[in-house]
Amino acid sequence: MEQLQKELSNLQITDQIHNNQNSQKTGILYDLDQLKHNSSRQHVECPGRLQSIYDHLNKKQLLQKPNIELVNKLHPGLREIIQYVHNDDYIDFIDQMWPEKTSKKEIYIIDTYFNKDSAYCAYLGVGAIQQSIDKIENNDWKNAFCIIRPPGHHSGYSNVCTGFCFFNNVAIAAKYIQKKYNKKKILIFDWDIHHGDGTQIIFKDDPSVMLISFHRYDEGMFYPSSGSPSNVGEGKGEGYKINVGWNIGHKEYSLKAGTDEYIYAFERIAWPIIQEFEPDFVIVSAGFDSAEGDPLGQCSVSYEGYAYMTQRLMQINQGKILVVLEGGYNLDSICWASESVLRVLIGEDFSYLDNKKDQICPNFVGFSAVESAFQNLKKYWINLSDAKLQIYTEKIIENSQKKSLISAGHQSKFQIKDNKIFKQAKENELLFYKKLWIEKQQQADFLKFIPIFYGLEQIEEQEYVVLQNLTQNCQLGSIIDLKIGQNTIHESYTQKKHDEALLKDHNSTSFTLGFRISGVIIKDQKGVPIEKVNLGKFLQKFTKEQTQEYIIKVFKSNQKEEINMEALENFMIFTQDLLEFFEKRNKKRFIASSIIIIVDNIQNTYQFKLIDFNYVDDLKEDKNKDNNFIFGLQNLINMLQDIKKKY
């Protein structure tokens, strides 16, 4: 008898070890049958989405890891589970939507297509959800990633399928885990670029299911037009629906919501509320159309952005989490984004992201969305008013103020130390400054137009030019970089660079005005960027009127109603003096140099200087004037005079 008890005890220990090993596994659920949901027309919600993710993870040898269990054959979910969320009429509609006799390959309802296999594919998705939860709750898996389609988070809004969705998989998951495993409080975190309107409708008055959605809103002009930060739920569910909506707009050069904005919203809004809510289970609506490169979302969440949010969510309930694929329509983006999430799920080391929340520099899109959410939610959640969070907000604002000091060029080429700018200059510019240092007595007239030059310094085998920090007393100001010259092509350019510069010159105001915007940052009353345009493809589209508009915005910096006339008049004097110098005393030819203007209407300071001297040559003997540069200065002065008359 004692021997039998000993053997049973050993068996129990062995089973416990086996269960502990299993509970560290991540389930991956995927089925080739779901590729049958397809359209003969080109459609962004295509089978290639699943196939690309699977192939990518396989190529990265992630699916072969011992702590991953791959389920590649799914079973249809049960109708009784779907009934937790959808009514019988809707389920019948899905079951019967494909006509028995038709010659069509697919049928469209507005934006959503279905064929003879679509309903079956939707049921397989529900089956994946059910199997994942059972495995996690029975300690067979620690977490799971359902790579399934069609997506689901728009389903529930109406009695027809919409937004490419059929059954609301995450909503079904939430109700299933509550009913079968008696979990009281469920968190659904939705980072799909589109608001999960179906999920919100289903749980609008349910305080046991919290929905946190980060999505593009555009003041209700972005699909599906829901997700206002003021929509916090109804009845008993009021305060449990958390909407952070990005207002981006549709200009090509608009500020975007990216990794820094998502992390800021997560830390300032989501995490304090999650801690207070204390969910028993976490489900992620993982739409990767918020990723950089997605054609629909047009935002810029990075590999690290998805990893960061996943890692934080795994700090709840020992990492028990269910990730469910929603949108994502760039086949490259959904691959690396899925890889990022999966690597976190299986426990790979992302500790280098631990301090990321303190290093972020969100833009105005991020700050305004978070502030709007905060104002609508603060009365429901005590944690949001924690003094430490206010200190955190001030720190992040300061980060953004410091980062936005370079309006154009490569920010990585600049460092700010001891209130000086360290610029990693190219060989020609280094030579220019070396000659300037030697000839500084003779160049006194010119030196007043450029930042103070302190010398050269070697940093990690790179030579840097040490210059006056023009932003030292103008940290909160708007900045514009005007590249001067009708022709910005230098004979040393490669053919590729020559062609690019020629295109920019002829398609921009360079050709007509002799100058163009190379970069601009417009800041609000706190010194946070509200508009930012970097050099590149967008700039060639600026018209004369748009250029003038941005110059005015800079002199109205920090959202002032009136132009800073003192700054404008002093800039006009600066430009007139510079023109006189170029007409009478200059012996050089300047190609692709710029005038930088900084106006800080909070501290009532301003700066303007001539910068960028990588392409400066001696004038040829037969040319005693730099007419290319002079043409731009003359037209800039004319524009400034027009602005002054207007104001």
Side-chain angles (χ1 to χ4, degrees):
M1 186 67 178
E2 288 181 9
Q3 181 63 28
L4 180 60
Q5 287 178 334
K6 187 175 181 180
E7 288 177 2
L8 285 171
S9 177
N10 288 337
L11 184 61
Q12 287 172 347
I13 292 170
T14 303
D15 285 345
Q16 187 176 357
I17 292 170
H18 178 69
N19 285 337
N20 286 339
Q21 288 173 341
N22 282 342
S23 66
Q24 296 306 307
K25 285 193 172 185
T26 293
I28 302 289
L29 298 97
Y30 165 89
D31 194 328
L32 284 171
D33 278 351
Q34 286 203 309
L35 305 183
K36 294 176 181 177
H37 171 58
N38 195 8
S39 173
S40 60
R41 305 184 209 171
Q42 190 172 4
H43 196 285
V44 290
E45 207 295 279
C46 61
R49 297 174 63 238
L50 260 59
Q51 190 69 65
S52 296
I53 294 172
Y54 180 84
D55 290 346
H56 177 80
L57 298 180
N58 198 37
K59 184 179 178 181
K60 292 287 183 178
Q61 297 185 328
L62 284 167
L63 302 182
Q64 294 78 27
K65 286 185 174 289
N67 55 345
I68 283 182
E69 184 172 330
L70 178 64
V71 176
N72 55 18
K73 192 62 184 174
L74 301 175
H75 301 287
L78 300 175
R79 182 185 178 101
E80 64 191 63
I81 293 172
I82 299 170
Q83 286 173 321
Y84 293 158
V85 167
H86 298 291
N87 60 41
D88 285 328
D89 288 344
Y90 181 73
I91 300 171
D92 289 342
F93 166 76
I94 297 295
D95 289 344
Q96 300 164 16
M97 63 183 176
W98 185 252
E100 290 185 10
K101 295 181 180 180
T102 181
S103 59
K104 294 181 178 180
K105 293 183 178 179
E106 72 277 312
I107 296 173
Y108 273 77
I109 300 177
I110 311 175
D111 58 354
T112 305
Y113 68 84
F114 59 91
N115 64 11
K116 62 183 179 64
D117 297 304
S118 297
Y120 176 66
C121 292
Y123 273 93
L124 289 180
V126 176
I129 297 298
Q130 181 182 351
Q131 185 174 1
S132 298
I133 291 171
D134 289 342
K135 287 279 192 178
I136 293 170
E137 286 304 304
N138 290 316
N139 289 322
D140 293 322
W141 296 343
K142 183 176 184 178
N143 48 51
F145 186 3
C146 293
I147 305 172
I148 57 175
R149 59 184 289 272
H153 72 152
H154 295 304
S155 182
Y157 180 75
S158 66
N159 271 334
V160 294
C161 44
T162 183
F164 318 154
C165 298
F166 288 70
F167 295 135
N168 194 314
N169 298 307
V170 295
I172 293 168
K175 296 304 291 184
Y176 178 68
I177 198 169
Q178 283 184 325
K179 289 183 177 293
K180 183 169 182 178
Y181 295 101
N182 199 31
K183 299 292 182 182
K184 302 298 183 185
K185 294 187 288 186
I186 309 299
L187 167 65
I188 298 174
F189 193 98
D190 189 337
W191 64 50
D192 190 285
I193 199 63
H194 302 96
H195 179 241
D197 52 341
T199 311
Q200 171 125 3
I201 289 290
I202 290 165
F203 297 114
K204 63 182 179 181
D205 55 0
D206 186 347
S208 72
V209 178
M210 172 174 284
L211 170 65
I212 299 180
S213 178
F214 292 178
H215 53 271
R216 186 169 168 182
Y217 182 54
D218 288 359
E219 301 293 356
M221 298 302 291
F222 192 77
Y223 183 86
S225 300
S226 59
S228 165
S230 63
N231 190 346
V232 296
E234 301 175 13
K236 292 181 179 180
E238 190 174 324
Y240 291 87
K241 307 301 169 276
I242 317 301
N243 287 303
V244 178
W246 317 117
N247 292 315
I248 293 171
H250 296 281
K251 290 182 179 179
E252 289 182 277
Y253 44 84
S254 297
L255 294 174
K256 294 182 178 181
T259 297
D260 285 10
E261 288 69 43
Y262 274 72
I263 291 177
Y264 179 58
F266 191 97
E267 294 299 333
R268 186 63 184 88
I269 299 294
W271 189 247
I273 292 175
I274 290 169
Q275 287 182 305
E276 195 170 338
F277 180 62
E278 296 182 328
D280 299 313
F281 198 88
V282 177
I283 303 166
V284 179
S285 268
F288 296 122
D289 40 8
S290 48
E292 188 169 3
D294 189 89
L296 297 191
Q298 296 181 334
C299 284
S300 55
V301 181
S302 66
Y303 184 98
E304 286 76 17
Y306 292 116
Y308 183 92
M309 291 188 287
T310 307
Q311 183 172 257
R312 290 292 267 152
L313 291 170
M314 283 186 66
Q315 293 174 12
I316 307 164
N317 300 326
Q318 294 80 48
K320 284 190 172 185
I321 184 173
L322 173 61
V323 179
V324 182
L325 182 67
E326 297 283 3
Y329 307 104
N330 178 308
L331 299 188
D332 290 329
S333 300
I334 59 173
C335 289
W336 55 252
S338 297
E339 177 192 340
S340 167
V341 170
L342 180 56
R343 287 189 183 278
V344 176
L345 291 177
I346 64 177
E348 291 195 6
D349 184 13
F350 280 83
S351 58
Y352 72 93
L353 294 176
D354 289 349
N355 297 321
K356 180 72 174 173
K357 68 178 187 294
D358 297 315
Q359 301 163 352
I360 56 173
C361 303
N363 58 34
F364 180 75
V365 168
F367 282 115
S368 60
V370 166
E371 178 63 20
S372 183
F374 171 76
Q375 293 299 333
N376 282 283
L377 293 163
K378 62 183 180 180
K379 68 179 180 180
Y380 303 105
W381 302 100
I382 295 171
N383 279 3
L384 287 179
S385 299
D386 191 311
K388 291 179 181 178
L389 283 176
Q390 185 55 44
I391 294 170
Y392 175 70
T393 297
E394 291 169 0
K395 173 181 171 54
I396 300 306
I397 289 174
E398 185 179 347
N399 285 358
S400 294
Q401 291 168 345
K402 288 179 179 177
K403 182 183 178 183
S404 58
L405 299 179
I406 308 297
S407 63
H410 302 285
Q411 194 138 7
S412 60
K413 301 290 184 183
F414 295 86
Q415 296 182 33
I416 299 177
K417 295 194 302 182
D418 303 323
N419 280 326
K420 295 183 178 71
I421 291 283
F422 287 70
K423 180 182 180 183
Q424 187 181 335
K426 293 181 181 178
E427 185 178 348
N428 288 348
E429 190 161 20
L430 288 169
L431 184 61
F432 171 84
Y433 277 107
K434 287 175 182 177
K435 289 177 68 176
L436 190 66
W437 187 260
I438 295 168
E439 301 170 358
K440 57 185 176 182
Q441 298 296 333
Q442 302 94 306
Q443 295 284 358
D445 285 351
F446 176 69
L447 289 173
K448 68 180 182 180
F449 297 113
I450 69 172
I452 298 169
F453 172 52
Y454 296 105
L456 304 173
E457 187 166 321
Q458 199 88 5
I459 303 175
E460 296 179 355
E461 300 183 358
Q462 293 286 343
E463 203 159 14
Y464 283 74
V465 177
V466 185
L467 301 168
Q468 172 191 5
N469 178 9
L470 298 177
T471 65
Q472 182 176 348
N473 298 312
C474 305
Q475 299 98 326
L476 308 179
S478 299
I479 309 172
I480 194 166
D481 182 315
L482 300 175
K483 193 172 291 293
I484 309 297
Q486 195 173 28
N487 165 34
T488 63
I489 300 170
H490 192 264
E491 50 263 30
S492 66
Y493 284 2
T494 63
Q495 187 62 48
K496 181 181 178 182
K497 188 167 183 178
H498 174 280
D499 293 344
E500 288 174 351
L502 183 66
L503 186 65
K504 284 185 180 180
D505 288 346
H506 282 261
N507 288 353
S508 72
T509 55
S510 289
F511 190 69
T512 54
L513 295 178
F515 67 92
R516 70 169 181 262
I517 294 176
S518 183
V520 61
I521 299 174
I522 305 299
K523 296 185 182 180
D524 70 0
Q525 63 271 26
K526 291 183 179 179
V528 172
I530 52 177
E531 285 188 75
K532 185 173 183 179
V533 183
N534 288 327
L535 81 169
K537 60 183 179 180
F538 307 129
L539 304 182
Q540 62 195 40
K541 299 178 182 178
F542 276 15
T543 63
K544 176 183 177 180
E545 291 72 26
Q546 288 172 318
T547 301
Q548 180 172 301
E549 179 187 340
Y550 271 107
I551 292 174
I552 291 170
K553 283 184 178 182
V554 169
F555 284 98
K556 284 185 171 183
S557 180
N558 312 110
Q559 297 180 308
K560 298 293 183 182
E561 291 185 8
E562 297 297 326
I563 204 164
N564 187 328
M565 192 56 69
E566 178 189 324
L568 177 65
E569 289 175 345
N570 276 289
F571 180 58
M572 291 175 71
I573 293 169
F574 171 89
T575 313
Q576 190 66 53
D577 288 348
L578 186 61
L579 175 62
E580 184 181 339
F581 172 81
F582 268 80
E583 286 182 327
K584 296 180 179 179
R585 297 185 297 282
N586 176 49
K587 303 297 182 184
K588 304 284 185 182
R589 181 184 68 144
F590 289 74
I591 297 291
S593 293
S594 294
I595 292 175
I596 190 166
I597 309 167
I598 310 172
V599 181
D600 183 340
N601 285 328
I602 298 173
Q603 302 178 94
N604 196 28
T605 53
Y606 45 85
Q607 279 279 13
F608 359 91
K609 293 292 182 182
L610 184 64
I611 61 170
D612 295 340
F613 307 114
N614 197 41
Y615 303 105
V616 179
D617 306 317
D618 292 330
L619 284 167
K620 294 179 181 178
E621 291 183 7
D622 58 334
K623 291 185 178 180
N624 57 8
K625 289 185 180 180
D626 186 355
N627 291 317
N628 178 55
F629 208 85
I630 288 171
F631 176 75
L633 289 175
Q634 288 172 334
N635 280 302
L636 177 57
I637 289 169
N638 291 337
M639 183 175 285
L640 296 172
Q641 289 171 342
D642 289 342
I643 292 171
K644 186 178 179 181
K645 287 178 185 176
K646 186 176 179 180
Y647 288 91

